[in-house]
Structure formats: C-alpha cells, structure tokens
Amino acid sequence: MWGIFADAFLLPGCVACGELEERMVRGDHGLRLCQICEQAWPKALGDLPLPGLSRFALWPYEGTVRRLLVQAKDMPYCAQAWALRRAALAARVPLVSTETVWCVTPPSRRRRWSAWYLPKFVAESLARSHRCQFRSLLVRKQQRGNQSDLSGAERRANLQGVFRWRGGLVPKTVVIFDDVSTTGATLKEAARALREAGVQEVITVCLAAVE
Ligand SMILES: [Zn+2]
C-alpha cells in the first residue's frame, strides 16, 4: 500500500515522463510536471454534445493527457493513474445533484478479468467528491469481434443492445463516466440502456475526447 503512495507522491520527477528537473511546475491540474509536459497539457474542453445526448469532456485526447491515459490503461494503480484522478478532481466537472448516481460503461470481457479498470478508478473518486453514489448499473453482453478495429458505423451496429440494466432501484439522474470517448457510440448505447430502464436524465462525462 505504501508503495502506491510513494509512487504517486513521493518520487521526485515528472509524473508523466519521469524526467528529473530542478524546476518542476505545478499547473491548474494540481500535478507536478516538468516544463515540457506542462506545456503539452491540453486546454480544458467542455460540452461536446452528441445528437440526443449531453457529453462533457475534460480535455482533448492529446499531449500529456493522452500520454498519461495510454500509460495508466493497463497498469493498475500506477502513478499516472493517480495523477489523472487528481487532475480530474481539480478540473471543472458539471455540478450534479447528490441524488445523481455515477456509473461507468461496463468493461469488455478481456478487461473484466484484469480487475483494473481506469474509468472506474477515476469515476468512484469523482462521485465521492460530488457526494454521489457510485454503482455498477449496467452489464455488458458478449460481443463479437474487436471494437477498436471497426469503423464508426460498424461500431454502432456491433454495440446495439450490448448493455443491459443490472437491476435494482432506478435513479432519476445518472452520470456515465468513461476515460476516452471517440465517436460516442459506447456512451450512446449505455445511455439508451439506462433510459430503457427508466432513468430520466443521462449525463455523460469523459476524461478525454477525440474530436
Ligand atoms: Zn515530463
């Protein structure tokens, strides 16, 4: 446990590239970065609505944010994951009522077995900071093929009906959180499943968006 904290906060050097520098910079995101990574930190984004669905993106998927995301995706509790979580907490996320329940789009089968899922790691913390509940609301059904090899249209077709309501009390408002949003197809399908279950308002938030 102490190893995790040491990794995240005690080691000197830039959390994004490991570079040791005399003068580290602490930006608005609350992270200590070398000057190069600080300069490569993208400008905050904001509302990037999809047809029929609100979507809020903290940053574009580029520069230092992209670098941290790539590294944190498959490395449980690494310093980069803690850094992203800390930056997300410092960022301006739309205010939601404390009645709102946060959830993530369920991971693919392959990821489910690894027990490490970056979106959940970040979303749980954001939900707590908003005094909201985090719940696992959706289940992913078995899927054909690899989603990332497909075009936008193919993705949408392949995703149709892939999420199912898990059961239990239906909240009035839900925030679906994801790490990276590209076409928004996954978020849309998750939103559809939630609305079908009776959720009245669905808000989607992602760490980074590919515009
Ligand atoms: Zn750096």
Side-chain angles (χ1 to χ4, degrees), residues 44-47 55-59 84-97 100 102 122-123 125-130 132 175-178 203-208:
L45 261 179
D47 288 315
R55 178 175 60 165
F56 188 89
L58 297 184
W59 301 285
L84 280 170
R85 191 161 98 158
R86 177 182 271 210
L89 285 171
R92 197 186 61 87
V93 178
L95 274 180
V96 291
S97 93
T100 307
W102 289 55
V122 179
S125 177
L126 281 174
R128 204 180 313 131
S129 80
H130 284 259
C132 293
V175 171
I176 313 173
F177 183 85
D178 210 348
I203 302 161
T204 70
V205 177
C206 59
L207 267 183

Side-chain angles (χ1 to χ4, degrees), residues 100-172:
T100 307
V101 173
W102 289 55
C103 72
V104 288
T105 57
S108 64
R109 180 163 282 255
R110 183 177 68 83
R111 257 181 213 290
R112 207 158 49 212
W113 292 115
S114 81
W116 167 249
Y117 190 45
L118 179 67
K120 183 167 182 261
F121 177 72
V122 179
E124 279 179 326
S125 177
L126 281 174
R128 204 180 313 131
S129 80
H130 284 259
R131 298 176 196 284
C132 293
Q133 207 189 352
F134 177 90
R135 264 170 68 195
S136 170
L137 297 177
L138 297 169
V139 194
R140 186 189 282 256
K141 295 183 212 163
Q142 181 127 32
Q143 217 176 334
R144 292 154 286 139
N146 186 351
Q147 191 69 1
S148 54
D149 294 339
L150 305 175
S151 74
E154 286 171 327
R155 272 190 197 211
R156 277 190 292 281
N158 205 30
L159 273 169
Q160 206 107 74
V162 79
F163 300 125
R164 185 167 53 76
W165 175 252
R166 186 180 282 274
L169 203 70
V170 179
K172 207 170 140 196

Side-chain angles (χ1 to χ4, degrees), residues 6-87:
D7 244 23
F9 305 116
L10 301 179
L11 282 181
C14 173
V15 76
C17 72
E19 192 65 47
L20 286 167
E21 256 196 32
E22 297 251 328
R23 276 188 301 150
M24 300 286 283
V25 193
R26 194 183 288 273
D28 299 335
H29 39 66
L31 308 177
R32 281 177 75 243
L33 299 171
C34 72
Q35 292 183 38
I36 292 170
C37 291
E38 174 57 33
Q39 273 160 25
W41 191 277
K43 280 202 165 57
L45 261 179
D47 288 315
L48 277 183
L50 301 161
L53 185 67
S54 73
R55 178 175 60 165
F56 188 89
L58 297 184
W59 301 285
Y61 185 58
E62 60 185 44
T64 305
V65 168
R66 181 186 181 141
R67 182 174 195 145
L68 290 170
L69 275 163
V70 168
Q71 292 168 328
K73 220 176 169 69
D74 295 308
M75 242 199 296
Y77 304 100
C78 61
Q80 291 84 350
W82 285 94
L84 280 170
R85 191 161 98 158
R86 177 182 271 210

